Amino acid sequence: MAADLAAEAADGRPSPPARTARTSAKGEQTRARLIAAARTLLAGEGFARFSTRNVAALCGISHGMCHYHFQDRTDLIVAVARDIGPEWIGPMEVAVDGPGSFSERAERVIGLLTQPEGPDLSRLHSALHWFALNDDRVRAAVDAEYRRWRDCFVRLFQVLADEHEGAFDPVPPGTALAAAADGLAALQSLDSRVDPEPTVRVLVAGLATAAVRP
């Protein structure tokens, strides 16, 4: 075995583990390309005609290779739902879980909520919701991502509850803020003239006051 490996090294051929690693890396690159192409199609106007065949064509690979990485269309849509999570949930998790008091964390959260959602991400969310209405696996994946989103706001109000010695349950105000933030994002996607900052500040202040009120 040692002699075989030495011979491969001498003539420039990679050893089996090296070939496996290179193949795995290439496979991950292909998978990432397919997800990126799926995102492009889902964010486009023709998402209702979304298919693995169209995704493969956009990538310039065979339809069979697409099915090698994703069992079916639903598999690919679920992968997209998970792929976009770091873009909209990740920053909120950092804002909520970072150091500071409730007021300091709330300021970071307000800063994020007042930033308009990009058009591509907005269209992706709309497409995912559309598929979730008709596919249980997509619904489960989208629901899991939104639970992560809602949990951020519950953790924010948990900080306030801890500051008041556990005086209230953080779930209702956290869930209310998450729902309001979703509605505000939908409103902004339709009317760019809406100024979200006053609305978000009233929501956070009002919910905080109501939560700690005896």
Side-chain angles (χ1 to χ4, degrees):
M1 181 64 177
D4 292 338
L5 292 175
E8 288 184 345
D11 66 11
R13 288 184 292 120
S15 63
R19 285 199 298 270
T20 301
R22 187 169 65 184
T23 301
S24 177
K26 186 176 180 181
E28 286 301 313
Q29 290 172 0
T30 300
R31 179 181 174 86
R33 285 174 55 205
L34 286 165
I35 292 174
R39 288 183 55 155
T40 298
L41 292 178
L42 286 172
E45 296 179 358
F47 73 84
R49 296 186 297 277
F50 178 83
S51 69
T52 53
R53 189 175 297 279
N54 289 337
V55 171
L58 184 59
C59 272
I61 66 173
S62 70
H63 190 212
M65 179 58 70
C66 182
H67 278 286
Y68 174 80
H69 290 279
F70 299 98
Q71 180 180 351
D72 52 25
R73 183 181 75 166
T74 296
D75 249 8
L76 194 46
I77 296 171
V78 167
V80 170
R82 292 170 179 163
D83 185 65
I84 67 175
E87 297 174 29
W88 64 289
I89 303 174
M92 188 62 69
E93 290 175 330
V94 171
V96 169
D97 297 330
S101 64
F102 170 80
S103 296
E104 292 168 326
R105 300 182 199 212
E107 279 299 316
R108 295 196 294 264
V109 168
I110 290 169
L112 289 174
L113 292 179
T114 54
Q115 295 176 13
E117 186 176 60
D120 284 350
L121 194 56
S122 179
R123 287 194 292 267
L124 273 172
H125 280 138
S126 296
L128 291 171
H129 288 158
W130 189 87
F131 282 108
L133 294 174
N134 303 287
D135 191 306
D136 289 342
R137 286 163 57 201
V138 176
R139 183 183 298 112
V142 171
D143 180 57
E145 294 304 304
Y146 271 90
R147 281 201 304 272
R148 280 183 59 197
W149 169 254
R150 291 192 301 270
D151 284 347
C152 291
F153 299 98
V154 172
R155 293 200 301 277
L156 174 64
F157 279 93
Q158 181 66 63
V159 174
L160 183 63
D162 291 342
E163 291 176 357
H164 289 266
E165 301 180 346
F168 65 91
D169 180 359
V171 174
T175 303
L177 182 56
D182 291 340
L184 184 60
L187 181 61
Q188 284 182 277
S189 70
L190 297 173
D191 187 353
S192 61
R193 297 170 299 176
V194 173
D195 183 0
E197 184 169 352
T199 302
V200 174
R201 289 193 177 280
V202 166
L203 282 168
V204 173
L207 287 167
T209 299
V212 302
R213 183 178 297 154

